[in-house]
Amino acid sequence: MSVLSVEQLHTRLGKLHLVDGVSLHINAGETFALLGESGCGKSMTALSIMRLLPEVAHISSGQVMLQGEDILQLPESAMRKVRGGKIGMIFQEPMTSLNPVLTVGEQITETLRRHTDTPTKTHHQQAADLLSAVGIPDAVRRLGDYPFQLSGGMKQRVMIAMTLAGNPEVLIADEPTTALDVTIQAQVLRLLREIQQQRGMAMLLITHDLGVVSEMAHQVGVMYAGELVEVAPRDAFFTQPAHPYSQKLFAALPQRNLNKLANITGSVPALDTVFVGCRFASRCDSAFALCHERPPEWTTLGQGHRARCHLLAQAQSVTVTLTPALNTVAAIGSEAVLVVDDLRVHYPLKRVWLSSHTPMLKAVDGVSFSLHGAETLALVGESGCGKTTIGKAILQLQHATAGRVLLDGVDLAALTPRALRQQRAYMQMIFQDPYSSLNPHLRVQVILTEGMQALGMKVDMADLRYLLAQVGLPDDALTRYPHEFSGGQRQRIAIARALAVRPKLIICDEPTSALDVSVQAQIINLLKDLQIKLKVSYLFITHNLPVADYLAHRIAVMYLGRIVEIGRNDEIMQHAAHPYTLALLAAVPSLTRGQGDVRLLSNEIASAAHPPTGCHFHPRCPQAMAICRQQYPRMTQISPTHFVHCHLLSPQ
Amino acid sequence: MMPVVLWTDALIYLLVISMALMLYFQPADGQLREALRRLYQNKMGIITGWILLMFTLLALLDSLHYRPVLPDSPTPQYSIEVMSALDAVLQPLRAHNEKTYSAPLAQHLYVKENVTLANGLVVRDYPRLNIAQTPQPEVSVLLLRGTSWGMAAILLIWLVMRLFHVRHTMGAGSWVLIIVLLGTMLLISLAGHYHILGTDKVGQDVLYSTLKSIRTGLLIGTLTTLIMLPFAVLMGISAGYFGGWLDDVIQYIYTTLNAIPSVLLIAAAVLMMQVYIETHPALFDSSAARTDFRLLFLCIIIGVTNWTGLCRLLRGETLKLRELDYVQAARAFAVSDMRIMLRHILPNLFHLILISVVMDFSGLVLAEAVLSYVGVGVDPAMQSWGNMINAARLEMAREPVVWWPLVAAFSFMFTLVLAANLFADSVRDAFDPKGHA
């Protein structure tokens, strides 16, 4: 008997089919993961179940049965009891889902008042119990805290506690960990799993991350363009995904034994498209005539495993053909293009008048590395560790407090503004968010030529067209505005803009983290191809270890403004020495590892404003010793290319 | 006649010429042309644009000043009174001055007076209006006549267009034009025989003074904005973009300015200026020049006290924009600060500037009324909606109520401000590349 069962749910917004005939069943104690790229209708499915759709959208047909009762038929007053009561929901962004002017306790007791019959006097105690249940230490004191006093992971825990206050039967988690760092993500996922088991809740987990699905789900549903295309038990899905789209999703994941990621060309179709045949046909390599004529029906492949695909209906198995591996080894130059020597960026925390003792935030605290021609160095770390600040300090967009940045042997900080302008052509940056990195008021042509003009280069239309062709954009893109392009295409424009001035070094600041998996694969492939062709060096800033592993020749791991370990790609990924690197690697949700049994970091990342004494990592380190609390470890060389800062490894 | 160029006339024509030049020598990227095309496709934009254009034309006509030749003098002698082209056009409205109030389309005065009848008897009655001394046609006849004139004019235009093979499709703009033509003809046919909107306390036609007030209202709105904008935009953007000590200085300036009650500041400045005018009569050769100078000074002083709000808004928004990736990217390309501000920051502030300027516009017209009430507004001799509203205080308090001057001023002001607001919306949409795929 399923707790929540959705039958043929259709949600429409004008002409848009947001959700198109979705059916799913979740049993008590089970997790159903809804997987898909953005714009596939995952969140809309969840909002339809909660009946929290935006006003312009409406559910046109279907049933949502909660313990045998169709909640779509309930009056709004009864629905309010269901929301937060029988069905709880956790949102993606913990920063905005808590009210900043109310204390944590007030927000939890609010739910208790609404959804429980217990006397008001006990609510305070209940709230404290809930907070300790979600693993927040010192719960009674924390009740009086305001959201700004909590870290992101803590806020998400509070959010979970609030949801639990209504004692729900069904928990809907909409990308609950997407905004969190990997180490925190692992903690929150484990907490969700434990709570679900204790309470026997049914959970609908919405995510785009295959790793998260693998760690959490019992059942998997893959959504594409508003409909489910494959439903399978976890094990069946991960051993043999059936639908071409599911297979492509797997192939698009960066993995170290693949030389080139599968390109799912194009992007998710617009929701107002009138589909004649299969929705995926236009992006599918195996599509044949029938796919464009008739929508496929469900084909049952095994116990609880079905997919919509004409090929499967004809009892053919689908295998995604992977592009043959290119010779991707670009010869790394022998000369260092970039040398960063003891770079420091300190911010004053507050201005103190006429005082020499200004408290400083050490965003970057003595970082040194070098980067050779046509080489990629990945800078990896949790948010707030100073990765982006390093990038900006290298580009001289951020004033460095101390240290040197040598580009081809020229010390950038020592240059006059005029001389620095000459050097700007050699280094460029690609930003994380392709939506804020392009001025919406300028045409693509102006965007591309701006840098060339500012640096006094000649602008030639033929060059511009060649540039667009290089990044895989059509010629007519020149006269269009950024908003006419999708996220992936915008990132291509941003790449073209950087390439326009023929730089030797490109700093890539999380260029794929705002993109979907399939688009991420396109961009990563593009970056790799460009490196081979143009011999450009990348400083690749990311928090995503698999991407770093796939793209980088060397990886540097940062913690609180310092590099704790640096080494060749394989040295870091397979023979990591620093406990922090190990923890980061362990926290990455894995497709192959079973659920549970992961060594997790227990604490939150410390603040860079008040770094711990000694080794910054010691409060979170499982192997911390006495010396770790007193002294920052010196650099230890493990191999000619592998260096680490850790007392465990230093020869006494 | 002798042309007279007042200060505000010069400024207003300078503005018109510079706008025309800007349209003629527009940037090569075609963004402006495209925006104008989009504006032309927007129904609301067309309608309100036409209305604003009518107001502007009236104001421009009213800004062509001259001194007419006095009749019956052997050598050319010029009248001391400065007239404008609009006065000449509106001569029929000026021709019949009554003694005092009369209701719209009335034939008799609004107050009883001793009237000497033909037989020498004196009775207390509503005397006949000056305009009604000659026999008046019925209002309905005049309406009919006006409509047929209008139809004839439209037909004529249509014929001319056919004759010269001008291709044209009927759009919102044509309808507005037709309505305006019809309305004008109706007004013309009525105005010769009736006071359409009645007369005011001194017997002046209210329609005339309302039309004359358009120039004052538009001037206060545009000139003040023009004086205010450079302060607000330049200071707001540079404070937000550069930060540091410059930001501190600008912030101190506007908080200080904000701390002084602006009415007090304006009153002090205007009173000082009044004294200056009175002690230097040689500087002004006519009373028109005096009132005009006072208007200009009022615009300047309101502008100087009014820029802080917009400046603060722009500073905050620039602080946000400065951190955006495309600004960082431009800095990484060594694009100069000036260019970044002009190209990346200003266009993205455009909607804010436009909205707050239009909002201010209506506020300014109202501020003029308030200042006139305090006695530091425009010269009492000047036609302005503020002065009309100010006079309405007494008119509303008397029994029976004299309502028409207030209604006339109010409805003209309302039309202007509403049209300006809606037009600004359309302009903003037209310049936003996102709204149109």
Side-chain angles (χ1 to χ4, degrees):
Chain A
M1 170 68 189
S2 43
V3 179
L4 180 76
S5 104
V6 178
E7 283 292 348
Q8 286 300 318
L9 185 70
H10 289 263
T11 301
R12 306 189 54 169
L13 191 164
K15 282 186 298 181
L16 309 182
H17 297 261
L18 299 178
V19 179
D20 211 7
V22 165
S23 305
L24 52 90
H25 309 274
I26 313 175
N27 297 330
E30 212 180 66
T31 301
F32 187 99
L34 215 48
L35 178 73
E37 296 177 278
S38 51
C40 278
K42 306 181 304 262
S43 292
M44 281 301 157
T45 308
L47 291 177
S48 300
I49 293 172
M50 293 288 273
R51 285 179 46 194
L52 280 175
L53 288 168
E55 253 171 55
V56 280
H58 68 280
I59 298 167
S60 57
S61 68
Q63 280 185 323
V64 177
M65 309 294 282
L66 180 68
Q67 294 172 319
E69 186 184 18
D70 188 354
I71 57 173
L72 294 186
Q73 307 299 330
L74 289 179
E76 183 59 28
S77 57
M79 194 60 213
R80 242 177 287 157
K81 268 207 143 49
V82 174
R83 271 183 224 130
K86 284 183 179 165
I87 308 182
M89 187 153 179
I90 303 171
F91 296 91
Q92 169 171 355
E93 192 57 76
M95 309 298 159
T96 54
S97 38
L98 292 177
N99 186 342
V101 296
L102 295 181
T103 62
V104 168
E106 280 167 334
Q107 300 190 49
I108 298 177
T109 45
E110 193 181 15
T111 319
L112 286 170
R113 250 200 319 278
R114 180 78 186 81
H115 291 289
T116 59
D117 303 327
T118 49
T120 319
K121 266 181 270 173
T122 62
H123 285 173
H124 194 73
Q125 187 51 46
Q126 274 179 300
D129 292 345
L130 280 166
L131 276 193
S132 22
V134 295
I136 293 182
D138 202 3
V140 178
R141 194 177 57 80
R142 283 292 183 188
L143 282 178
D145 277 3
Y146 287 91
F148 77 90
Q149 291 168 293
L150 307 174
S151 67
M154 290 283 236
K155 278 185 202 154
Q156 200 60 307
R157 284 168 189 271
V158 170
M159 195 62 213
I160 294 171
M162 273 172 73
T163 316
L164 293 180
N167 206 7
E169 312 277 345
V170 179
L171 185 67
I172 298 178
D174 187 357
E175 306 261 11
T177 56
T178 309
L180 304 175
D181 278 311
V182 262
T183 52
I184 310 296
Q185 161 170 311
Q187 292 171 15
V188 171
L189 288 181
R190 184 167 67 176
L191 171 70
L192 280 174
R193 219 163 34 224
E194 283 168 6
I195 285 172
Q196 187 197 19
Q197 277 157 14
Q198 282 165 16
R199 302 185 168 226
M201 282 187 302
M203 182 150 92
L204 178 64
L205 176 75
I206 292 167
T207 182
H208 66 278
D209 189 336
L210 275 169
V212 171
V213 174
S214 158
E215 302 249 308
M216 299 290 292
H218 301 99
Q219 295 276 327
V220 184
V222 182
M223 267 192 103
Y224 187 77
E227 71 173 14
L228 279 172
V229 293
E230 181 170 357
V231 177
R234 177 191 174 272
D235 292 337
F237 183 73
F238 280 92
T239 46
Q240 201 166 28
H243 197 278
Y245 178 61
S246 317
Q247 295 185 354
K248 286 262 189 172
L249 282 182
F250 276 98
L253 276 190
Q255 281 160 4
R256 63 184 0 256
N257 44 7
L258 277 179
N259 266 331
K260 197 168 170 76
L261 300 180
N263 263 339
I264 309 186
T265 45
S267 52
V268 180
L271 289 168
D272 57 350
T273 322
V274 180
F275 295 101
V276 185
C278 171
R279 295 174 185 217
F280 188 58
S282 58
R283 298 173 76 189
C284 184
D285 296 333
S286 341
F288 56 110
L290 187 62
C291 298
H292 295 286
E293 288 159 12
R294 208 139 40 84
E297 292 302 316
W298 285 107
T299 308
T300 306
L301 299 162
Q303 182 68 39
H305 189 180
R306 52 213 172 99
R308 281 183 206 254
C309 182
H310 283 304
L311 281 172
L312 298 165
Q314 294 173 356
Q316 294 180 10
S317 70
V318 186
T319 37
V320 170
T321 43
L322 292 179
T323 332
L326 292 176
N327 180 18
T328 51
V329 190
I332 295 176
S334 53
E335 304 243 322
V337 171
L338 175 77
V339 176
V340 174
D341 183 22
D342 197 32
L343 183 71
R344 286 163 201 271
V345 181
H346 297 180
Y347 299 103
L349 275 174
K350 55 180 176 202
R351 272 190 272 182
V352 183
W353 280 88
L354 305 172
S355 160
S356 53
H357 291 287
T358 321
M360 287 294 208
L361 180 120
K362 298 177 177 176
V364 179
D365 197 18
V367 163
S368 310
F369 60 82
S370 64
L371 182 60
H372 295 261
E375 189 190 29
T376 304
L377 173 69
L379 218 49
V380 182
E382 290 171 291
S383 51
C385 73
K387 309 181 295 264
T388 301
T389 312
I390 291 187
K392 292 201 168 152
I394 291 173
L395 282 182
Q396 307 295 315
L397 293 179
Q398 169 71 54
H399 178 72
T401 315
R404 292 190 308 161
V405 176
L406 303 171
L407 184 73
D408 268 342
V410 182
D411 187 356
L412 295 179
L415 291 178
T416 60
R418 177 181 288 251
L420 180 62
R421 188 163 301 171
Q422 300 298 317
Q423 294 293 319
R424 288 234 181 257
Y426 302 124
M427 47 181 189
Q428 274 308 311
M429 187 153 183
I430 301 170
F431 295 87
Q432 169 171 6
D433 181 4
Y435 290 88
S436 72
S437 69
L438 303 175
N439 186 342
H441 285 271
L442 298 183
R443 283 173 211 278
V444 172
Q445 177 170 354
V446 182
I447 291 174
L448 293 185
T449 52
E450 179 172 48
M452 300 163 87
Q453 280 167 351
L455 295 168
M457 296 169 121
K458 220 170 59 195
V459 179
D460 183 358
M461 284 310 279
D463 282 354
L464 285 184
R465 287 203 199 90
Y466 178 68
L467 200 62
L468 283 180
Q470 258 184 343
V471 296
L473 285 173
D475 274 359
D476 66 352
L478 282 179
T479 57
R480 285 151 71 188
Y481 288 98
H483 70 92
E484 296 171 52
F485 297 91
S486 68
Q489 286 174 315
R490 283 164 159 256
Q491 202 57 292
R492 285 169 194 268
I493 297 172
I495 293 173
R497 171 175 64 186
L499 289 177
V501 294
R502 300 194 199 92
K504 291 178 197 163
L505 164 71
I506 297 184
I507 294 170
C508 307
D509 187 2
E510 310 242 18
T512 62
S513 64
L515 305 174
D516 275 315
V517 196
S518 68
V519 182
Q520 164 173 303
Q522 292 168 14
I523 297 295
I524 290 177
N525 282 337
L526 175 66
L527 286 174
K528 212 163 183 178
D529 289 346
L530 288 172
Q531 182 165 55
I532 295 164
K533 250 188 257 169
L534 305 173
K535 306 264 178 290
V536 56
S537 312
Y538 293 136
L539 179 65
F540 198 88
I541 297 168
T542 183
H543 67 275
N544 188 330
L545 271 170
V547 169
D549 175 29
Y550 178 76
L551 203 62
H553 302 99
R554 284 189 302 141
I555 298 177
V557 181
M558 282 191 72
Y559 191 76
L560 286 189
R562 291 183 185 172
I563 291 181
V564 293
E565 183 167 8
I566 183 168
R568 279 202 326 271
N569 170 326
D570 54 311
E571 286 168 338
I572 300 287
M573 297 306 288
Q574 284 159 3
H575 310 288
H578 198 282
Y580 178 61
T581 314
L582 290 168
L584 272 186
L585 286 168
V588 176
S590 140
L591 301 187
T592 47
R593 192 174 55 214
Q595 304 183 346
D597 65 274
V598 184
R599 191 170 44 149
L600 291 181
L601 287 180
S602 48
N603 290 328
E604 303 275 337
I605 186 166
S607 155
H610 310 284
T613 52
C615 173
H616 290 168
F617 187 59
H618 83 257
R620 301 173 79 188
C621 183
Q623 289 150 284
M625 304 174 293
I627 188 168
C628 299
R629 291 182 191 93
Q630 291 148 14
Q631 208 183 337
Y632 193 81
R634 269 203 298 266
M635 189 162 77
T636 313
Q637 184 166 19
I638 294 178
S639 81
T641 51
H642 191 180
F643 302 90
V644 67
H645 286 273
C646 182
H647 286 300
L648 284 172
L649 299 155
S650 52
Q652 294 314 314
Chain B
M1 63 186 171
M2 185 171 77
V4 175
V5 181
L6 301 176
W7 272 102
T8 50
D9 295 349
L11 283 174
I12 211 166
Y13 277 101
L14 195 70
L15 184 66
V16 170
I17 290 168
S18 53
M19 271 167 79
L21 285 181
M22 206 172 75
L23 280 183
Y24 188 71
F25 297 104
Q26 54 181 291
D29 64 358
Q31 239 166 349
L32 187 58
R33 182 173 304 152
E34 205 174 296
L36 287 177
R37 191 178 49 78
R38 282 198 292 245
L39 187 62
Y40 194 72
Q41 283 164 354
N42 184 334
K43 226 175 240 168
M44 193 54 86
I46 288 283
I47 296 174
T48 51
W50 270 108
I51 295 174
L52 283 185
L53 194 67
M54 294 295 154
F55 273 103
T56 318
L57 280 180
L58 287 174
L60 287 180
L61 268 184
D62 204 7
S63 301
L64 291 169
H65 287 102
Y66 64 94
R67 283 161 66 179
V69 186
L70 284 179
D72 329 315
S73 57
T75 52
Q77 283 271 326
Y78 298 106
S79 151
I80 191 77
E81 190 191 13
V82 174
M83 304 260 288
S84 77
L86 188 70
D87 291 330
V89 173
L90 298 179
Q91 192 53 43
L93 295 180
R94 285 161 48 93
H96 301 281
N97 262 350
E98 306 301 336
K99 218 166 175 182
T100 181
Y101 296 117
S102 73
L105 299 177
Q107 296 182 328
H108 299 274
L109 222 52
Y110 203 59
V111 283
K112 277 188 177 169
E113 279 188 354
N114 291 334
V115 182
T116 320
L117 294 181
N119 52 17
L121 221 60
V122 177
V123 287
R124 202 156 168 81
D125 197 6
Y126 299 105
R128 240 183 130 69
L129 294 178
N130 288 338
I131 203 167
Q133 294 305 328
T134 51
Q136 283 173 301
E138 285 293 315
V139 173
S140 53
V141 174
L142 290 174
L143 282 179
L144 213 63
R145 194 188 289 170
T147 318
S148 47
W149 285 353
M151 291 297 200
I154 293 161
L155 207 67
L156 193 71
I157 293 175
W158 184 72
L159 276 177
V160 167
M161 278 170 68
R162 281 300 293 266
L163 206 62
F164 291 98
H165 301 286
V166 183
R167 288 209 149 273
H168 183 72
T169 46
M170 288 297 289
S174 323
W175 287 114
V176 174
L177 201 64
I178 287 175
I179 291 171
V180 167
L181 260 176
L182 276 176
T184 319
M185 290 302 172
L186 284 177
L187 285 184
I188 290 175
S189 90
L190 273 174
H193 303 278
Y194 287 97
H195 294 295
I196 301 173
L197 293 176
T199 52
D200 61 10
K201 188 170 183 182
V202 292
Q204 197 173 39
D205 191 288
V206 173
L207 180 63
Y208 171 73
S209 36
T210 326
L211 288 176
K212 287 284 282 182
S213 304
I214 290 176
R215 176 176 185 268
T216 319
L218 275 178
L219 266 182
I220 291 198
T222 44
L223 281 188
T224 310
T225 308
L226 276 184
I227 290 159
M228 174 187 93
L229 266 190
F231 280 104
V233 174
L234 206 72
M235 291 209 180
I237 293 184
S238 30
Y241 182 76
F242 292 109
W245 65 267
L246 189 66
D247 188 21
D248 288 349
V249 168
I250 292 174
Q251 279 195 70
Y252 278 122
I253 293 177
Y254 70 60
T255 37
T256 312
L257 208 57
N258 253 4
I260 306 169
S262 63
V263 172
L264 206 67
L265 199 63
I266 294 170
V270 169
L271 291 175
M272 267 164 58
M273 199 258 331
Q274 239 169 308
V275 172
Y276 178 82
I277 291 177
E278 269 155 31
T279 48
H280 298 79
L283 290 176
F284 309 98
D285 51 3
S286 66
S287 71
R290 248 199 324 265
T291 52
D292 177 75
F293 187 75
R294 185 164 161 173
L295 176 68
L296 181 64
F297 191 80
L298 186 69
C299 290
I300 293 175
I301 187 71
I302 297 180
V304 168
T305 52
N306 236 10
W307 57 273
T308 51
L310 183 60
C311 181
R312 191 164 41 204
L313 189 71
L314 294 183
R315 174 186 168 266
E317 197 65 19
T318 308
L319 275 178
K320 208 168 76 192
L321 287 175
R322 180 180 71 169
E323 296 304 321
L324 280 188
D325 289 343
Y326 57 80
V327 176
Q328 299 286 331
R331 287 178 60 202
F333 279 121
V335 179
S336 67
D337 289 330
M338 197 59 202
R339 218 174 154 74
I340 289 179
M341 286 193 274
L342 278 180
R343 200 176 214 175
H344 292 292
I345 293 182
L346 190 58
N348 288 296
L349 295 174
F350 184 70
H351 63 286
L352 279 182
I353 297 177
L354 198 67
I355 290 170
S356 73
V357 159
V358 174
M359 290 291 174
D360 280 355
F361 184 84
S362 37
L364 287 171
V365 177
L366 292 175
E368 188 250 327
V370 172
L371 293 175
S372 301
Y373 175 71
V374 184
V376 293
V378 295
D379 198 283
M382 190 156 203
Q383 313 275 14
S384 87
W385 291 320
N387 279 340
M388 288 173 79
I389 292 171
N390 197 20
R393 264 187 312 131
L394 297 175
E395 291 159 0
M396 298 304 284
R398 83 194 275 290
E399 177 65 36
V401 160
V402 174
W403 49 266
W404 49 92
L406 181 67
V407 169
F410 174 79
S411 47
F412 269 72
M413 233 171 86
F414 176 77
T415 316
L416 176 63
V417 171
L418 185 69
N421 270 312
L422 293 176
F423 187 68
D425 272 354
S426 314
V427 168
R428 193 205 49 209
D429 288 348
F431 275 92
D432 182 8
K434 244 178 259 172
H436 315 263

